[in-house]
Amino acid sequence: MSDLSILSHVYKTNSDLLKKINDAVVVLKRARYKLPGAESLSPRQVLESQKLLSQFLDELLRDLSPSLSKEAEDFMIPSSLIERINEARKGELEYYLSDLKLASDHLVHDLVCLTPKDLALLDELATITDAETSSIFRKLWRK
């Protein structure tokens, strides 16, 4: 496999992950804050978004915590994204992992359990994923 095809594959993986995360966060924000478009969301869409983001956070927790077992992987989170998060949260990773776990727990329960802090955390993860995807895109264009 050539460098270009590997880079292209990595870009597609990151891009797909970013779209899933962004779409799910938008659904939850619309539903939680009754924003325009909330009335068109079905309860199933909201539940699927909660489940997807909870699975993403759980996988992220497993990837960021070597002590946790790797049971089943719902997401293929690129290692470059894990490295970027580790770098961004250096020195406070223990607290960050606690916040991820709490947000995941809130997602599993009910939409009203989601706090502004949880949504800010999800936004931050989407931003980090976007930054990583953009970085890969720039590398792809340079090839």
Side-chain angles (χ1 to χ4, degrees):
M1 214 176 201
S2 73
D3 286 346
L4 188 58
S5 61
I6 291 171
L7 200 52
S8 178
H9 175 73
V10 171
Y11 172 74
K12 172 117 174 70
T13 302
N14 279 25
S15 179
D16 290 346
L17 179 62
L18 175 61
K19 180 163 176 27
K20 286 179 186 178
I21 292 169
N22 276 337
D23 290 350
V25 170
V26 167
V27 166
L28 292 186
K29 282 183 171 183
R30 279 186 178 159
R32 177 73 174 98
Y33 295 122
K34 311 256 187 293
L35 297 174
E39 63 282 347
S40 67
L41 296 172
S42 71
R44 182 178 177 180
Q45 283 177 291
V46 176
L47 284 173
E48 285 175 356
S49 293
Q50 285 176 252
K51 182 179 177 186
L52 180 131
L53 289 170
S54 176
Q55 289 171 339
F56 172 69
L57 292 180
D58 290 345
E59 183 65 32
L60 197 55
L61 278 164
R62 286 191 291 271
D63 286 348
L64 290 168
S65 305
S67 61
L68 295 178
S69 67
K70 290 255 192 200
E71 308 148 358
E73 292 190 14
D74 299 310
F75 284 87
M76 179 61 177
I77 300 178
S79 59
S80 59
L81 182 60
I82 299 300
E83 290 170 18
R84 190 177 281 260
I85 292 170
N86 268 322
E87 185 62 32
R89 291 302 183 153
K90 192 185 301 185
E92 59 181 36
L93 190 60
E94 184 179 327
Y95 301 109
Y96 187 67
L97 294 175
S98 175
D99 290 344
L100 288 175
K101 177 67 178 137
L102 188 59
S104 177
D105 290 345
H106 289 163
L107 283 164
V108 169
H109 289 95
D110 195 353
L111 189 61
V112 295
C113 294
L114 273 181
T115 66
K117 185 177 179 179
D118 297 333
L119 290 168
L121 179 71
L122 293 169
D123 274 338
E124 177 189 341
L125 287 169
T127 300
I128 291 171
T129 306
D130 181 45
E132 183 60 25
T133 303
S134 296
S135 172
I136 294 167
F137 182 77
R138 285 190 300 276
K139 289 177 187 175
L140 191 58
W141 267 99
R142 280 185 243 144
K143 291 281 180 180

